[in-house]
Amino acid sequence: MTKKENHPAVEKLRTGISSLDIIAKGGLPKNRTTLISGTAGSGKTVFAVHFLAAGIDQGEPGVFVTFEESAEDVRRNMRSFGWDLPAWEEQGKLTFVDASPDPHIDTVEAGGFDLGALLARVQNAVNKVKAKRVSVDSLGAVFSQFSDQTMVRGELFRIASGLKGMGVTAVLTAERTDDHGPIARFGVEEFIADNVIILRNALEDETRRRTIEILKFRGCDHQKGEFPFTIVPHGGVIVIPLSAMQLSMKSSNVRISSGNKDLDDMCGGGFFRDSVTLVSGATGTGKTLTVTQFLQGGAANGEKCLLLAFEESRDQLVRNATGWGFDFEKMERDGMLKVICDYPDLSGLEDWLVTIQRIINEFGPQRVALDSLSALENVGTLKAFREFVIGLTSFIKHKEITGMFTATTGSLMGGDSITESNISTLTDSIILLRYVEMFGEMKRGLTVLKMRGSAHDKAIREFTIGRGGMQMGRPFRNVTGIIGGAPMHVSPGDVERVWSQYDKAVDRRRPETISGS
Amino acid sequence: MQPLGLFALHHCNVFAPGRPQYPGGGPLSKYILTLYVTGTSPRTKIAIDNLNRICSQELEGRYELEIVDVLEDPQRAEDEKILATPTLIKQLPPPLRRVIGDLSDKDKVLLGLEVRPAPSLPKSAQSEAS
């Protein structure tokens, strides 16, 4: 670091771009230039405009220098993000320096030249609106406008240093040809700017995944590595700062009802208020019922509930709930419940996270249920899925919301799911629902596998589903191997003998099935 | 160097109304030229000298030249979308053409301005600029 005792540390400018300031540890270095490099479609222009839009929101006027798209195109394209550029121009908060090539004008080069006019125009624009921020989009397009690359290089250096002299914080975009190749196409862009941020839009397993990485900040600190981000209408760039979210988690000792008295008892008195519970089981074991009870319990307690359903349609959910004796429609009319049904493939996981966060912020629920996470597994890569769960978990904990996610196991008997094995460490409680085959009959079993910070019932209990929901029965005392998916009936004599060998109740899980929770 | 003094020389609007006009912008139609420069840099001076020479050789009596310093009038540069200096713009006769650079390559300047070279002119006269 170049920090000296008699020099103040590099000041940061809070950009106002959602969560970018977290990974940038306060914002972009003030009065300096930052290169935003990325492949085509990685979101550079949106970033550049968002940087100015966020500044205008904070009362910092901006200048947009465009070398690629015409100012008119930029104005039109940015409308969908909710940024009314022409209005800001009228109010004197924003001005364009339109340096895009005009196809109608033929230009001939006859001798040496420089980009003095451009610099003068930028200076003029900065003075005109008293700009604090400047976005230049993009450097590469300058190279393609002129044949003399050496001149362009030299001039870009001059413009970058000129920008610093104007007392503005600038963002310069540059193209790169490869998500993991050289920083930028012409090999000099990164030297023009003090700082480098890389935007990626990598194709992994047939899905696109956007990430943002701060490669270097001269003289100041930032978070390392790639962070997922997304670009949403009426929002622009939204960075998902995984680590920052985990740090801000709270923990509550307040217990709330799961909506089922017996289940509350098994959990040692109910769920913790800002906990996240994973309900895992094969299809038809009662996951949606557990969720329905959870929502009913919340509504009965005067808590607003949000249901995100990715597997069943709204009508199916309402019908099922009615069958169990719960009136979803009334809960909705009372404003206690909001049901969001959608196809999981409709958008990427980052977009889902942002959408869900927005819905939660708007509706303000105390309980959120997601049925099921497994439906989202295939929307993105495993990594993206994990990040989604981390992001959602930390978000709802931060909001002190009680969460319940469901996961579907692949096999009917026992087994675990991708969801379960990947996110079990992220959840506070795990409830397993399993089929138990006994003498030609399928029975249902439930066990509380994990309950962070609380004692809980270790038994695997039989339960039946009827009107009124789940009726908890006796533990399967004389069956072993339920969780493993190979239930075996044990004669009562054997059970007695085994139990007499241990004073206390032993955990009868098979160790190879459940670990790391 | 006094910028005003330098530029004032070129504000002479030489135009002879009595000359025959050729239809469609013929060789004797009036040229309206604007040269954008940055301050009084050496490059500015070279460009002005070169342009001066080319005009007197090729367009004597049928051109109007204005010189704009982008440092003094950046809004003009903004309106005309000028990036590089020096930039020479031919407003008339149509089509609108631009030549950028210090105008040391006379052939290219004439090509860029679409001035038909006078056949009698010796080729050696084209690049006396340093």
Side-chain angles (χ1 to χ4, degrees):
Chain A
M1 298 289 140
T2 53
K3 232 186 278 181
K4 279 183 196 160
E5 301 255 333
N6 53 347
H7 281 70
V10 177
E11 217 182 313
K12 296 260 182 93
L13 173 84
R14 204 174 69 79
T15 61
I17 296 177
S18 179
S19 299
L20 174 69
D21 296 329
I22 296 174
I23 65 165
K25 296 203 173 164
L28 297 183
K30 200 171 178 178
N31 296 343
R32 297 201 171 195
T33 52
T34 302
L35 185 79
I36 310 293
S37 186
T39 51
S42 58
K44 300 182 296 292
T45 305
V46 178
F47 188 106
V49 178
H50 195 168
F51 174 67
L52 298 183
I56 288 166
D57 277 351
Q58 293 173 203
E60 296 165 9
V63 170
F64 194 86
V65 184
T66 174
F67 287 109
E68 216 160 13
E69 296 175 77
S70 71
E72 201 39 58
D73 282 348
V74 176
R75 286 185 194 108
R76 201 168 40 236
N77 295 344
M78 294 304 144
R79 209 166 264 283
S80 64
F81 294 101
W83 298 322
D84 192 350
L85 271 48
W88 290 333
E89 287 176 86
E90 263 175 46
Q91 295 158 12
K93 295 172 180 171
L94 173 76
T95 190
F96 273 96
V97 172
D98 190 346
S100 59
D102 189 337
H104 303 296
I105 300 177
D106 288 323
T107 301
V108 174
E109 285 179 25
F113 59 92
D114 54 50
L115 299 182
L118 175 65
L119 191 57
R121 286 169 65 186
V122 173
Q123 177 78 66
N124 178 43
V126 166
N127 293 345
K128 205 158 63 181
V129 297
K130 297 184 178 60
K132 293 273 172 261
R133 301 184 182 202
V134 172
S135 283
V136 179
D137 182 52
S138 69
L139 294 181
V142 190
F143 284 96
S144 59
Q145 285 193 36
F146 302 101
S147 60
D148 187 349
Q149 310 280 291
T150 320
M151 179 281 297
V152 173
R153 263 169 228 199
E155 288 302 296
L156 288 180
F157 275 109
R158 203 154 72 94
I159 288 168
S161 65
L163 283 169
K164 279 195 233 180
M166 295 175 206
V168 295
T169 307
V171 154
L172 320 167
T173 70
E175 304 81 38
R176 58 205 304 238
T177 46
D178 184 357
D179 270 328
H180 296 276
I183 290 176
R185 178 171 291 163
F186 296 94
V188 289
E189 295 94 326
E190 67 260 42
F191 303 109
I192 291 168
D194 300 307
N195 316 302
V196 178
I197 291 178
I198 292 187
L199 304 181
R200 293 192 177 90
N201 188 22
L203 186 62
E204 287 171 33
D205 295 342
E206 300 183 0
T207 57
R208 287 276 173 197
R209 186 165 167 272
R210 292 185 190 278
T211 59
I212 181 167
E213 179 190 7
I214 299 173
L215 194 69
K216 71 164 185 188
F217 268 5
R218 243 173 228 167
C220 50
D221 199 15
H222 59 86
Q223 289 192 29
K224 314 283 188 293
E226 292 182 50
F227 294 85
F229 80 97
T230 183
I231 295 175
V232 296
H234 293 278
V237 174
I238 296 183
V239 180
I240 299 163
L242 302 169
S243 51
M245 284 176 151
Q246 280 172 312
L247 286 171
S248 60
M249 278 186 191
K250 296 178 193 168
S251 189
S252 166
N253 284 323
V254 180
R255 298 263 189 175
I256 59 154
S257 170
S258 70
N260 183 297
K261 174 90 182 46
D262 296 333
L263 188 55
D264 287 348
D265 292 344
M266 286 181 77
C267 294
F271 300 146
F272 288 116
R273 196 178 60 198
D274 50 9
S275 71
V276 171
T277 305
L278 180 69
V279 180
S280 166
T283 174
T285 42
K287 296 187 300 295
T288 305
L289 170 62
T290 314
V291 163
T292 307
Q293 287 183 158
F294 173 69
L295 299 173
Q296 164 74 25
N301 200 27
E303 297 171 37
K304 283 165 99 177
C305 303
L306 174 68
L307 172 59
L308 305 156
F310 292 106
E311 277 188 342
E312 287 171 290
S313 75
R314 177 189 189 79
D315 288 349
Q316 276 174 302
L317 287 164
V318 170
R319 193 192 59 207
N320 293 347
T322 311
W324 295 316
F326 305 123
D327 192 347
F328 265 15
E329 280 174 330
K330 182 176 183 303
M331 284 161 69
E332 278 198 297
R333 275 197 307 276
D334 295 346
M336 299 310 290
L337 176 70
K338 190 180 183 76
V339 181
I340 307 285
C341 286
D342 227 327
Y343 290 107
D345 302 299
L346 226 52
S347 57
L349 286 170
E350 290 84 7
D351 289 345
W352 271 123
L353 183 58
V354 171
T355 308
I356 292 170
Q357 288 179 346
R358 183 175 51 79
I359 295 169
I360 289 175
N361 280 331
E362 282 167 11
F363 183 60
Q366 279 92 52
R367 294 192 183 199
V368 172
L370 197 159
D371 187 29
S372 73
L373 271 184
S374 305
L376 293 168
E377 256 170 36
N378 299 323
V379 176
T381 58
L382 202 58
K383 191 158 187 277
F385 178 67
R386 239 187 105 80
E387 285 166 355
F388 168 80
V389 179
I390 294 174
L392 184 58
T393 310
S394 10
F395 180 75
I396 68 178
K397 277 170 174 284
H398 183 67
K399 293 259 168 190
E400 297 190 18
I401 294 170
T402 320
M404 180 179 275
F405 305 154
T406 67
T408 311
T409 50
S411 61
L412 214 53
M413 304 288 288
D416 59 357
S417 65
I418 303 169
T419 307
E420 207 179 300
S421 51
N422 274 285
I423 69 155
S424 53
T425 50
L426 305 173
T427 57
D428 302 296
S429 316
I430 298 178
I431 295 172
L432 294 186
L433 304 174
R434 289 288 185 266
Y435 283 118
V436 184
E437 188 190 342
M438 279 177 73
F439 308 113
E441 197 183 327
M442 276 298 205
K443 291 183 182 300
R444 291 186 175 91
L446 180 150
T447 187
V448 179
L449 189 64
K450 156 175 146 181
M451 181 85 197
R452 211 170 260 169
S454 169
H456 59 91
D457 190 348
K458 312 282 193 299
I460 304 174
R461 287 180 183 273
E462 184 184 352
F463 71 94
T464 54
I465 299 173
R467 211 169 162 76
M470 222 176 232
Q471 268 96 47
M472 217 61 73
R474 295 164 52 80
F476 289 99
R477 286 279 181 222
N478 51 353
V479 184
T480 182
I482 295 170
I483 303 298
M488 269 171 58
H489 195 259
V490 188
S491 73
D494 285 349
V495 176
E496 280 304 311
R497 193 157 44 80
V498 170
W499 279 86
S500 65
Q501 284 173 6
Y502 300 95
D503 287 332
K504 291 181 204 159
V506 290
D507 193 345
R508 284 159 298 151
R509 290 175 285 169
R510 292 207 341 198
E512 70 270 24
T513 325
I514 326 108
S515 55
S517 55
Chain B
M1 194 189 298
Q2 280 276 324
L4 277 177
L6 176 74
F7 298 155
L9 283 173
H10 301 273
H11 282 289
C12 49
N13 299 340
V14 188
F15 179 56
R19 286 171 192 261
Q21 294 289 313
Y22 287 73
L28 291 179
S29 58
K30 184 182 166 192
Y31 282 78
I32 310 266
L33 306 174
T34 314
L35 181 67
Y36 290 84
V37 293
T38 311
T40 54
S41 67
R43 188 170 269 151
T44 298
K45 189 183 179 314
I46 293 169
I48 292 172
D49 289 349
N50 283 334
L51 183 60
N52 209 16
R53 183 163 47 249
I54 293 167
C55 286
S56 61
Q57 286 170 353
E58 306 290 335
L59 303 168
E60 187 53 54
R62 52 192 180 106
Y63 74 98
E64 244 178 64
L65 173 64
E66 185 188 5
I67 293 174
V68 176
D69 181 356
V70 297
L71 297 181
E72 285 177 11
D73 197 352
Q75 196 55 45
R76 279 284 295 274
E78 184 61 47
D79 297 341
E80 285 294 328
K81 296 182 69 181
I82 309 284
L83 292 186
T85 46
T87 292
L88 176 64
I89 296 185
K90 181 195 70 167
Q91 314 273 11
L92 283 172
L96 188 77
R97 295 303 297 260
R98 287 183 178 208
V99 178
I100 57 176
D102 59 17
L103 311 176
S104 52
D105 189 335
K106 185 181 166 188
D107 276 351
K108 280 197 172 170
V109 175
L110 295 178
L111 185 78
L113 296 180
E114 293 188 0
V115 172
R116 283 172 210 166
S120 59
L121 202 80
K123 275 215 157 186
S124 58
Q126 68 186 5
S127 55
E128 287 160 316
S130 54

